[in-house]
Amino acid sequence: MHELAIAQRLIDTACAALPAHSGPVTKVQARLGRLAGLSSAELAFGFEIAALDTPLAGARLEIEEVPARIYCPACGVESELDATAELCCPRCGAYAIEVTQGKDLLITSLEVEE
């Protein structure tokens, strides 16, 4: 379960972004791309465990799942891929595509209690 290691990195990143003497974190919002290779449920579970004994202990992790978007240089079309789609251009079938969205994991906000 590599989600636990990724959750630890999320916590490290969030803790580094906290101002000195801030209150406890109550919520972490993140965006998770469909092609990131992570399970949002397992990431949330790993986050809960890894957050123990940190300023994020007890914080809720809210994950917004982001769809995958690709650009096809062959036909110039940008498309959104559905969850079952193959990684090829839905218009021309080319496999030489560029993923423009959906491979990342990004913290978008931290909610801190005053």
Side-chain angles (χ1 to χ4, degrees), residues 11-63:
I11 290 164
D12 293 345
T13 301
C15 286
L18 289 173
H21 309 295
S22 67
V25 176
T26 57
K27 180 169 57 173
V28 177
Q29 292 181 305
R31 293 176 47 127
L32 175 63
R34 185 179 79 75
L35 299 176
L38 299 169
S39 159
S40 58
E42 289 178 16
L43 182 61
F45 178 72
F47 179 88
E48 195 175 313
I49 292 169
L52 296 174
D53 298 324
T54 74
L56 282 77
R60 186 174 73 247
L61 177 62
E62 286 186 0
I63 299 172

Side-chain angles (χ1 to χ4, degrees), residues 1 6 10-11 21-22 47 49 70 80 84 89 92-93:
M1 179 167 112
I6 302 296
L10 262 181
I11 290 164
H21 309 295
S22 67
F47 179 88
I49 292 169
I70 60 162
E80 184 174 304
T84 61
C89 177
C92 72

Side-chain angles (χ1 to χ4, degrees), residues 60-114:
R60 186 174 73 247
L61 177 62
E62 286 186 0
I63 299 172
E64 174 192 355
E65 295 193 16
V66 179
R69 293 196 60 79
I70 60 162
Y71 171 73
C72 177
C75 66
V77 170
E78 187 168 340
S79 309
E80 184 174 304
L81 296 179
D82 65 30
T84 61
E86 194 173 352
L87 276 176
C88 66
C89 177
R91 180 171 181 223
C92 72
Y95 286 95
I97 55 153
E98 298 169 17
V99 176
T100 59
Q101 175 183 289
K103 293 184 355 179
D104 51 347
L105 172 60
L106 175 72
I107 296 174
T108 56
S109 70
L110 301 172
E111 190 173 285
V112 179
E113 194 173 279
E114 290 186 33

